[in-house]
Amino acid sequence: MIRAFFIDLFELFSIIKMILEKDNRFSLYLFLFIALNLSIGCNPKSNINISNSIAEVDSVTIWIDLAKKKNLVLEKRKSYLLKAYQLNNKNKIDSVKYKNLSIIAYEAYKNIDTPFFKKTNSDAFILSKKLKDTFGIADSHWNYGNFFVKEEKLDSAYYHYHKALLNFNSINNEYYSGKMLYNMAFIQGRVKNYTASEKLTFHAISKFKPLKKYLNLYRCYNQVGITFKDMEEYDKSINYHKNALFYLRKVKNKKTYKEWSLNNIGLVYQYKGLFSIAIKYFEKALKNDSVRIKNINLYARLIDNLAYNKFLNGDTTNLPQEFYKSLVIRDSLNNKSAVAISKLHLAEYFTKYTDTLKAIEYAKDALYLSKEVNNNRDILSSLKLLSSIDKVNSDTYLGNYISLTDSLQKEERKIRDKFTRIQFETDEYIEETKELSRQRNWIIATSFLLLSIVLLISFIMRQKAKNKELLLETEQEKSNQEIYKLMLSQHSKMNEAKQKERKRISEDLHDGVLGSLFAIRLGLDIFDIKGDEGTKKKYQTYKDEINNTELEIRNISHELKSNIHSSDDSYFEIVKELLEKQSKISNFEFNLSHDDQIVWEDVDTEIKTNIYRIIQETIQNINKYAKASFVEIHFTLEKEMLHLIIKDNGVGFDTQNNKKGIGLKNMASRVKKLGGTIQIDSIINTGTTINISVPL
């Protein structure tokens, strides 16, 4: 009971330390929490349940971190991982839930908890599909690939790595695409499809080089070196291993990678039969004393390889002690595959040095262990060795060897065929995708071309419409000018008719009526009226009236004749009529004036027409926008320049910011056409003044 208490207490402090690292807000709570648990723990009858005690302050991350603690027993780590999973299921945010699920699945894979891994990774895969998270989908396939490699189901592993590759490619994640290519190359190498392995590895290298992923490049070149060793192209293998070491120099945390490469180069020389050179590489790797601490598995392998090459080179110094040293380390690590290799080497050693019974014993142990871990390579090596040293059972072992070799060749062929189908389906899919892409590009290009044609036709039609509109405006302008000229002509003719009529009336009055009256008055003067004074007075009164009437008619006749000669107001009257009409529409008062020096009959018709249109446009603008109550228009003549001032007391506008409308542009255009100048001054809430000067 006390031992259990101390174990739980140790776990409690681990949890507290982790929580404090995550968030200092829990410090005060945890102080009370520790005191409470210690007081409970002092009672040996209490059954402390750490998981329940911290339920209110834990988090999924804390439970996951606890599950990663390698100093805890495996079952405890699994239970913490399960706790993390259960707590994570309560999370309402899918993205956070998925992130945690992915980590939990990976930890389950590392903890060799197959059912739990399948469950969590399946949940992560479903959730990533729901979120349409391509990276998440790829990551789940990656986890499945790793799991099936461990399970020795290489076809399934290859399938999932390949699916992960497609998803990583779709989001242009070059780094993880390279990792998947490397994993696929490794599997191809395992089934002895060396050409495919080489091709995939170099494809991965092309991904890693631009990213300067030196550790990945080291691993790739190391893999190529191993592939060429298996293909018995030993010189190429050594060159690629040296390339791997070149990239390793650029890696900061080298761990024991260099020693691995030295071991691999040593094995190449071993296969070449150059055992002395191989021994130098193994010894060079063992000079690094830290290998024993950093990587005990590699240390045991180097000792065994060194001993084996000494044996092959005929050097029995420290043999078989070095074989035993490696075997003891491997056995303590429970590395059954490595133990099988050590026992095979010992079997070969004792075979050569005539201890056949020991050789058979070690070979049988190696066969048993190889079968236990399903290592076909070492099963074959064990069967081959036993067939040569166990004379009694030689035929059986040889038959099993041949049978297994055939079976493995068929299995490897099947797997390679599966890989080919997967690749073929991918290539077919890629080709279909390319074809669809080409079709889509054609459709887009055709659509773009058609759209361009439609837009061009539309632009041409709009341009034609604008040109037609401009032509109509020009024709309308010409028509307006013709109408205005006609109006002036009509007004002039009417004025001329009036003048003629006034002249006729003046002449009729002067020559006709006045002459008749004069004759009557002279006739009356002949008569000598006799009678009383009243009658004479009346007579004289009538004579005076006739005389006054003559005088009045003469004055009227003179006035009519005088007005005829001085009349030059036809243009001015037209402008006045315009103002009178417009003032009634917008209810404004106006003042129109001009210098007496201006002889409108002498002013060019084009000038008068454009000036009239400018006044017309200005008045329309005043009606629309200015809200003026008074408008003043004044004509002056100075040094052969006709000046026009149009002024209103309206709302005004900002001449700097306000965009010029078509009306103002037309006015400026007319003035420019006449060779004159125009200036527009406006003050907000005060009014607008337009000054126009035109040369006569």
Side-chain angles (χ1 to χ4, degrees):
M1 185 69 73
I2 294 172
R3 182 175 176 277
F5 163 70
F6 279 110
I7 290 171
D8 284 339
L9 189 61
F10 169 75
E11 292 178 7
L12 171 63
F13 277 108
S14 297
I15 293 166
I16 291 167
K17 180 176 178 293
M18 203 166 300
I19 294 173
L20 285 171
E21 288 172 354
K22 296 290 179 185
D23 196 336
N24 290 328
R25 292 176 299 171
F26 296 122
S27 298
L28 179 60
Y29 176 83
L30 285 170
F31 175 77
L32 299 171
F33 173 72
I34 292 165
L36 176 63
N37 277 276
L38 285 173
S39 64
I40 294 171
C42 290
N43 183 0
K45 293 181 181 180
S46 65
N47 183 15
I48 301 175
N49 188 329
I50 301 296
S51 300
N52 293 333
S53 300
I54 64 166
E56 294 182 1
V57 294
D58 71 352
S59 69
V60 175
T61 306
I62 292 170
W63 289 113
I64 291 172
D65 289 343
L66 275 171
K68 291 179 181 178
K69 292 283 184 183
K70 293 182 179 180
N71 58 339
L72 297 178
V73 294
L74 187 59
E75 290 307 313
K76 274 289 180 185
R77 288 161 63 188
K78 287 181 179 179
S79 69
Y80 291 145
L81 208 56
L82 179 61
K83 187 71 178 177
Y85 174 74
Q86 291 168 344
L87 190 63
N88 189 55
N89 281 340
K90 298 176 184 178
N91 203 315
K92 303 296 182 184
I93 304 171
D94 284 344
S95 57
V96 177
K97 189 176 181 179
Y98 163 74
K99 184 180 177 182
N100 291 331
L101 266 174
S102 180
I103 299 168
I104 292 166
Y106 182 67
E107 290 302 316
Y109 154 75
K110 289 200 301 183
N111 289 337
I112 319 173
D113 192 340
T114 300
F116 189 50
F117 164 77
K118 287 182 176 179
K119 171 63 178 169
T120 51
N121 202 58
S122 175
D123 289 352
F125 182 69
I126 292 166
L127 193 54
S128 62
K129 288 186 78 174
K130 177 186 174 184
L131 292 168
K132 296 181 180 178
D133 180 1
T134 306
F135 185 92
I137 294 167
D139 190 52
S140 297
H141 278 299
W142 188 359
N143 282 340
Y144 275 128
N146 291 341
F147 170 76
F148 285 119
V149 166
K150 189 180 282 188
E151 293 285 305
E152 291 291 327
K153 295 179 180 178
L154 299 182
D155 53 345
S156 297
Y158 190 88
Y159 168 81
H160 284 288
Y161 284 142
H162 184 261
K163 283 289 185 183
L165 173 67
L166 292 178
N167 281 283
F168 283 133
N169 280 339
S170 71
I171 56 174
N172 298 318
N173 194 316
E174 297 292 283
Y175 177 57
Y176 287 115
S177 294
K179 277 179 165 285
M180 295 308 102
L181 288 164
Y182 173 81
N183 291 340
M184 291 162 66
F186 171 77
I187 293 174
Q188 290 280 19
R190 284 280 298 274
V191 297
K192 300 179 182 178
N193 193 355
Y194 301 124
T195 304
S197 178
E198 178 192 354
K199 183 180 176 182
L200 287 165
T201 310
F202 278 111
H203 194 180
I205 287 170
S206 71
K207 301 276 186 182
F208 293 134
K209 270 190 177 178
L211 300 173
K212 297 182 179 179
K213 297 293 182 180
Y214 300 123
L215 181 57
N216 297 98
L217 286 167
Y218 161 78
R219 287 172 174 161
C220 285
Y221 280 108
N222 186 63
Q223 175 66 28
V224 177
I226 293 169
T227 300
F228 277 101
K229 181 205 74 176
D230 293 337
M231 293 168 68
E232 299 182 2
E233 294 190 38
Y234 301 120
D235 292 335
K236 284 186 177 180
S237 174
I238 291 167
N239 285 333
Y240 283 118
H241 279 303
K242 288 180 178 178
N243 281 340
L245 287 170
F246 168 77
Y247 283 106
L248 185 62
R249 293 191 200 106
K250 301 181 180 183
V251 177
K252 290 182 180 179
N253 186 9
K254 293 178 175 55
K255 297 184 180 179
T256 56
Y257 292 120
K258 182 180 178 181
E259 288 68 35
W260 269 111
S261 288
L262 293 172
N263 177 73
N264 290 337
I265 294 171
L267 288 173
V268 177
Y269 281 111
Q270 174 188 312
Y271 281 98
K272 285 186 76 174
L274 301 173
F275 307 119
S276 298
I277 300 174
I279 288 166
K280 288 180 181 178
Y281 277 95
F282 296 129
E283 286 177 338
K284 188 177 180 181
L286 284 165
K287 281 182 181 178
N288 186 352
D289 295 332
S290 64
V291 173
R292 184 172 185 174
I293 300 166
K294 291 180 178 178
N295 194 336
I296 190 66
N297 274 308
L298 175 59
Y299 178 72
R301 180 177 294 209
L302 286 166
I303 292 172
D304 183 69
N305 285 338
L306 176 61
Y308 187 61
N309 274 269
K310 281 183 178 181
F311 160 69
L312 293 173
N313 203 34
D315 182 4
T316 58
T317 307
N318 295 327
L319 297 181
Q321 288 82 1
E322 288 185 7
F323 282 126
Y324 286 131
K325 183 180 179 180
S326 175
L327 177 61
V328 169
I329 295 170
R330 286 171 161 179
D331 191 46
S332 68
L333 296 171
N334 197 29
N335 189 338
K336 293 180 181 180
S337 290
V339 169
I341 292 170
S342 288
K343 290 195 173 187
L344 275 171
H345 288 167
L346 281 165
E348 286 187 52
Y349 174 81
F350 285 114
T351 298
K352 185 172 182 178
Y353 292 102
T354 63
D355 193 343
T356 307
L357 290 175
K358 269 193 176 182
I360 292 170
E361 182 185 348
Y362 279 121
K364 283 182 177 180
D365 287 346
L367 178 60
Y368 173 78
L369 288 168
S370 299
K371 285 181 177 180
E372 192 175 341
V373 295
N374 198 28
N375 188 326
N376 292 315
R377 182 196 62 188
D378 294 338
I379 291 171
L380 288 172
S381 298
S382 302
L383 288 170
K384 187 178 181 180
L385 182 59
L386 283 166
S387 69
S388 65
I389 62 175
D390 189 351
K391 303 301 180 182
V392 177
N393 301 302
S394 177
D395 291 341
T396 304
Y397 289 126
L398 186 60
N400 289 338
Y401 175 82
I402 294 168
S403 176
L404 181 59
T405 301
D406 290 341
S407 174
L408 288 174
Q409 285 177 349
K410 288 177 183 178
E411 187 63 30
E412 286 170 359
R413 193 178 298 114
K414 281 182 182 179
I415 293 173
R416 286 199 296 268
D417 289 343
K418 282 186 179 180
F419 294 167
T420 304
R421 282 199 300 273
I422 290 169
Q423 192 61 42
F424 175 74
E425 288 169 5
T426 305
D427 292 341
E428 197 174 50
Y429 170 77
I430 291 169
E431 191 55 40
E432 286 178 6
T433 305
K434 284 181 179 177
E435 182 59 32
L436 288 171
S437 180
R438 282 194 292 268
Q439 290 178 5
R440 185 185 63 186
N441 290 338
W442 271 109
I443 291 168
I444 291 170
T446 306
S447 301
F448 180 76
L449 183 62
L450 289 172
L451 182 62
S452 300
I453 292 169
V454 170
L455 289 173
L456 182 62
I457 292 169
S458 176
F459 174 76
I460 292 169
M461 289 179 69
R462 281 202 306 271
Q463 201 63 34
K464 281 185 176 180
K466 282 184 178 179
N467 291 339
K468 191 174 181 180
E469 188 178 345
L470 287 171
L471 184 62
L472 287 171
E473 285 180 2
T474 305
E475 289 177 355
Q476 187 176 5
E477 183 66 23
K478 286 180 180 178
S479 299
N480 288 338
Q481 288 186 8
E482 291 297 326
I483 291 168
Y484 176 71
K485 287 178 180 179
L486 186 61
M487 183 177 65
L488 280 178
S489 176
Q490 187 179 7
H491 199 277
S492 179
K493 285 179 180 179
M494 286 177 63
N495 203 37
E496 188 179 346
K498 284 180 182 179
Q499 289 175 5
K500 285 181 179 179
E501 186 63 19
R502 288 163 72 111
K503 184 179 179 183
R504 185 189 65 77
I505 292 170
S506 173
E507 289 174 351
D508 286 347
L509 285 173
H510 186 274
D511 297 338
V513 178
L514 190 61
S516 297
L517 287 174
F518 181 70
I520 291 169
R521 184 171 57 79
L522 287 177
L524 289 173
D525 285 341
I526 296 171
F527 294 101
D528 185 15
I529 300 300
K530 293 181 181 182
D532 55 27
E533 286 297 324
T535 301
K536 288 181 180 181
K537 193 174 182 179
K538 281 183 180 182
Y539 172 76
Q540 189 60 42
T541 300
Y542 289 132
K543 276 180 67 177
D544 291 341
E545 283 293 328
I546 290 170
N547 191 47
N548 288 336
T549 300
E550 283 182 34
L551 183 61
E552 187 175 350
I553 289 170
R554 187 177 287 107
N555 289 335
I556 290 171
S557 176
H558 286 165
E559 283 179 9
L560 283 170
K561 218 162 199 183
S562 175
N563 286 337
I564 287 168
H565 293 297
S566 64
S567 179
D568 189 32
D569 298 334
S570 58
Y571 180 78
F572 192 73
E573 288 298 322
I574 292 171
V575 175
K576 187 176 180 182
E577 285 176 12
L578 172 66
L579 287 169
E580 285 175 348
K581 287 179 183 178
Q582 292 296 325
S583 66
K584 290 175 183 177
I585 295 171
S586 295
N587 196 26
F588 63 78
E589 294 181 1
F590 68 90
N591 178 29
L592 177 65
S593 62
H594 69 128
D595 284 354
D596 293 337
Q597 304 176 56
I598 302 172
V599 181
W600 289 110
E601 285 186 352
D602 295 339
V603 177
D604 187 88
T605 305
E606 187 178 359
I607 293 175
K608 290 192 284 188
T609 302
N610 282 290
I611 291 293
Y612 179 83
R613 290 300 177 200
I614 289 170
I615 295 170
Q616 191 178 42
E617 185 68 44
T618 304
I619 298 301
Q620 286 176 358
N621 286 341
I622 290 169
N623 289 344
K624 287 180 182 178
Y625 312 115
K627 300 178 182 178
S629 61
F630 183 76
V631 177
E632 182 179 355
I633 297 177
H634 185 60
F635 292 99
T636 57
L637 183 64
E638 184 179 350
K639 296 180 181 180
E640 297 300 315
M641 292 289 290
L642 177 64
H643 299 285
L644 168 64
I645 297 174
I646 307 172
K647 189 175 181 181
D648 68 70
N649 65 347
V651 296
F653 62 92
D654 188 346
T655 56
Q656 298 298 320
N657 297 330
N658 201 340
K659 292 182 180 179
K660 289 186 178 181
I662 189 69
L664 293 176
K665 287 180 180 178
N666 286 342
M667 287 164 57
S669 176
R670 289 179 185 278
V671 173
K672 186 178 179 181
K673 187 166 62 175
L674 296 174
T677 59
I678 181 170
Q679 182 179 343
I680 302 172
D681 298 311
S682 186
I683 301 172
I684 302 294
N685 298 324
T686 300
T688 303
T689 302
I690 299 174
N691 283 285
I692 295 170
S693 297
V694 177
L696 294 177

